[in-house]
Amino acid sequence: MVKSCVINAALTGALARARHKDPIVICDANMPIPRGCPVIDLSLTRGVPTLLQTLKAILNDLVAERYQVFQLMPQYNPAMYQTIQALLPQLPGSTISQPELEQVMQRAAAVVRTGDFGSCCTMVLYSASGMDKYVQQYDCDFPGEGQ
């Protein structure tokens, strides 16, 4: 279910097509993406846009029920891991291994490539039902932040 923030046509379309439990992968520019995955490349220059900018924009439109971060993020990028946890306290989170991530990418509604070159800046969001109770429960509005 889409709310109304993202203006990238390909990404907006992917978010609108996402159904309950569909994965949306947000990855850094270094992540190897298997052939045949539905890639939406948002990368512009090194570091633009970042994982956090992309995550916030997507969460302003997507009703998410949970997330997974790349398994190595807590070890190699603990600041990013803590930032994501603090940003999404209402969503259950866990980690995902490289082999599992590659499988999820194959069936994802979208694999969104950012310009982030931070260490292990890759995660998966899972779409929730668009029913009002889920929209209210998982509202991730970030007012005043420059998406």
Side-chain angles (χ1 to χ4, degrees), residues 32-40 102-111:
I33 301 170
R35 291 192 192 281
C37 293
V39 179
I40 299 170
E102 289 174 9
Q103 289 178 0
V104 167
M105 285 181 177
Q106 295 289 347
R107 62 180 176 82
V111 176

Side-chain angles (χ1 to χ4, degrees), residues 116-137:
D116 211 320
F117 275 80
S119 183
C120 304
C121 287
T122 297
M123 66 180 299
V124 183
L125 291 171
Y126 291 88
S127 182
S129 164
M131 294 172 55
D132 286 343
K133 69 178 183 177
Y134 294 113
V135 172
Q136 292 166 5
Q137 181 179 2

Side-chain angles (χ1 to χ4, degrees), residues 15 20 30 35 52 55 73-74 81 90 111 142 144 146:
L15 296 178
H20 192 201
N30 298 316
R35 291 192 192 281
L52 289 177
L55 174 62
M73 185 188 288
Y81 181 57
Q90 74 278 35
V111 176
F142 300 96

Side-chain angles (χ1 to χ4, degrees), residues 28 69-82 95 98 117-122:
D28 59 41
V69 297
F70 183 44
Q71 188 175 32
L72 299 176
M73 185 188 288
Q75 179 181 357
Y76 292 103
N77 198 342
M80 177 63 72
Y81 181 57
Q82 292 167 0
T95 61
Q98 179 76 29
F117 275 80
S119 183
C120 304
C121 287
T122 297

